[in-house]
Amino acid sequence: MKFQTEIPLKQQTDNLIDYHSNLLLLGSCFVENIGEKFNYFKFKSLQNPFGILFNPKAIETLISRAVQNKKYTESDLIFHNEQWHCFDAHSKLSDTSKENLLDSLNEALHRTQERMHQATHIIVTLGTAWVYRFKETEAFVANCHKVPQNQFDKVLLTTDEVRESLISIKTMVQAANPKATIIFTVSPVRHIKDGYVQNTRSKSHLISAIHQLVNKKDVFYFPSYEIMMDELRDYRFYNDDMLHPSALAVNYVWEKFSSVWISNKAQETMGMVRDIQKGMQHKPFNPDSEAHKTFLKRLDEKKEMVQSRFDHIKF
């Protein structure tokens, strides 16, 4: 007897992710969940150097500036609530010093540009089709930084507008790096502040637009949204806010993603990395015991074995 419906998935036959892959992850807070998994398992990955980016226009802006190497200057900053901010970046980059903020922005831009040229896989997770346009400049923003809402127009991007933005992203990425595989996903996190019906409209625009680009060569779709909405359609798989996936749900979606996109050989290495990570978190009852010393020696041997295979892995 089956107690849930399952999204049919099968492992990709080409372009699989392994420990030689270079990954760039951009987008909503859900990409951070998956990014943390890649970090835990010691893949070569860079996630959200500009912080969380919820909408396709924000991601398009970042990639455009990275491709053009258009550095940030003081004219790109605003001062609000005793801090300097940039409308293109998340507030985690904001700073009381405009010099520090400019350094952070341009360093993040450089890292994005560098990784985009090296990337074997670029994972883009879209969160919402609702965007805010700053009235003064008519530019779409990634974050409003608590600037009064009357200074923005709130706009729902049409399916065509989302598609055009994604085409722009795809074109710029492939011009910079023709070998990169692009994987789109839609965040299962519901943006209830926009309204329940409005959130559904937003997600539908994103999904519809993505599927107008998907092909079997270099642009793919992973159904993280559908897995959460269908296979995990129970509030026990959510955090206390009833909006964000719980750790259990994130692990579930990660396992599904791994089964599709990560090579079998890499999954063997992931098992060794997991054992080492757990071993490093182990707290002994008696640190001076012979048993613990033996345990540490074996742990060091495992580290050396993995690190001898992959230079980028550090513990």
Side-chain angles (χ1 to χ4, degrees):
M1 183 179 293
K2 297 183 69 175
F3 290 96
Q4 66 175 173
T5 53
E6 292 187 26
I7 307 298
L9 299 171
K10 61 180 181 180
Q11 189 177 48
Q12 291 293 321
T13 54
D14 299 308
N15 304 320
L16 287 170
I17 295 170
D18 59 26
Y19 276 88
H20 299 290
S21 301
N22 279 292
L23 311 173
L24 174 62
L25 294 87
L26 301 170
S28 80
C29 50
F30 190 71
V31 85
E32 304 236 321
N33 296 140
I34 300 302
E36 287 175 6
K37 295 295 184 184
F38 279 120
N39 287 340
Y40 178 84
F41 286 106
K42 302 296 183 180
F43 284 87
K44 292 188 284 187
S45 66
L46 173 66
Q47 69 183 60
N48 278 346
F50 271 52
I52 295 169
L53 303 175
F54 293 102
N55 68 73
K57 286 292 185 181
I59 298 169
E60 181 185 1
T61 297
L62 169 58
I63 291 177
S64 176
R65 292 196 77 126
V67 167
Q68 298 176 49
N69 193 27
K70 186 179 178 182
K71 294 185 177 181
Y72 284 91
T73 65
E74 187 175 339
S75 63
D76 297 306
L77 309 184
I78 62 163
F79 189 73
H80 182 68
N81 285 342
E82 301 182 32
Q83 278 197 313
W84 290 92
H85 310 273
C86 177
F87 281 137
D88 291 349
H90 191 269
S91 56
K92 78 172 189 178
L93 272 73
S94 298
D95 202 288
T96 54
S97 163
K98 65 182 175 183
E99 290 79 12
N100 289 346
L101 175 55
L102 284 173
D103 287 345
S104 297
L105 289 169
N106 288 317
E107 170 61 22
L109 192 68
H110 174 72
R111 286 190 290 133
T112 303
Q113 181 187 50
E114 190 174 59
R115 181 53 60 99
M116 193 162 55
H117 283 88
Q118 298 171 345
T120 56
H121 300 78
I122 298 176
I123 302 172
V124 178
T125 299
L126 304 178
T128 181
W130 286 101
V131 295
Y132 288 86
R133 184 167 51 207
F134 190 45
K135 292 179 180 179
E136 184 178 320
T137 61
E138 292 293 308
F140 293 108
V141 304
N143 195 299
C144 294
H145 300 298
K146 298 184 179 179
V147 171
Q149 193 166 351
N150 61 11
Q151 296 188 38
F152 301 90
D153 290 318
K154 185 177 180 180
V155 181
L156 178 63
L157 297 175
T158 66
T159 301
D160 287 343
E161 288 171 327
V162 176
R163 186 191 70 239
E164 289 304 313
S165 183
L166 300 185
I167 289 173
S168 176
I169 290 170
K170 174 179 180 290
T171 301
M172 288 187 290
V173 166
Q174 292 182 333
N177 182 354
K179 296 182 179 180
T181 294
I182 303 172
I183 305 169
F184 285 110
T185 69
V186 171
S187 170
V189 179
R190 291 169 294 153
H191 292 248
I192 297 305
K193 67 177 183 179
D194 294 324
Y196 289 88
V197 174
Q198 291 84 348
N199 172 73
T200 301
R201 291 177 64 195
S202 167
K203 298 291 189 186
S204 65
H205 288 195
L206 298 176
I207 294 169
S208 180
I210 290 172
H211 281 284
Q212 294 180 49
L213 272 74
V214 168
N215 57 46
K216 295 183 179 180
K217 181 183 177 184
D218 50 24
V219 180
F220 299 85
Y221 178 72
F222 179 76
S224 54
Y225 177 82
E226 290 79 1
I227 291 170
M228 194 73 203
M229 294 297 108
D230 203 312
E231 294 190 29
L232 305 179
R233 58 168 88 172
D234 190 303
Y235 280 109
R236 66 196 166 107
F237 296 115
Y238 287 82
N239 285 337
D240 292 344
D241 64 2
M242 301 298 171
L243 299 175
H244 289 78
S246 67
L248 179 63
V250 170
N251 287 338
Y252 185 88
V253 176
W254 166 252
E255 288 177 5
K256 293 285 187 176
F257 181 89
S258 299
S259 70
V260 173
W261 276 105
I262 298 181
S263 72
N264 294 334
K265 190 170 183 179
Q267 291 190 43
E268 293 176 8
T269 303
M270 286 168 62
M272 290 189 283
V273 172
R274 182 191 294 111
D275 290 343
I276 294 169
Q277 295 279 43
K278 288 182 177 179
M280 291 172 64
Q281 295 171 1
H282 175 69
K283 294 182 179 180
F285 289 110
N286 183 0
D288 297 321
S289 68
E290 288 301 318
H292 183 62
K293 290 177 182 177
T294 300
F295 170 81
L296 291 178
K297 182 180 178 182
R298 290 176 179 170
L299 186 62
D300 286 338
E301 289 172 352
K302 290 180 181 179
K303 289 180 186 179
E304 289 173 7
M305 181 173 64
V306 172
Q307 290 172 332
S308 66
R309 297 179 185 177
F310 306 102
D311 293 340
H312 72 276
I313 294 181
K314 308 294 180 187
F315 292 102

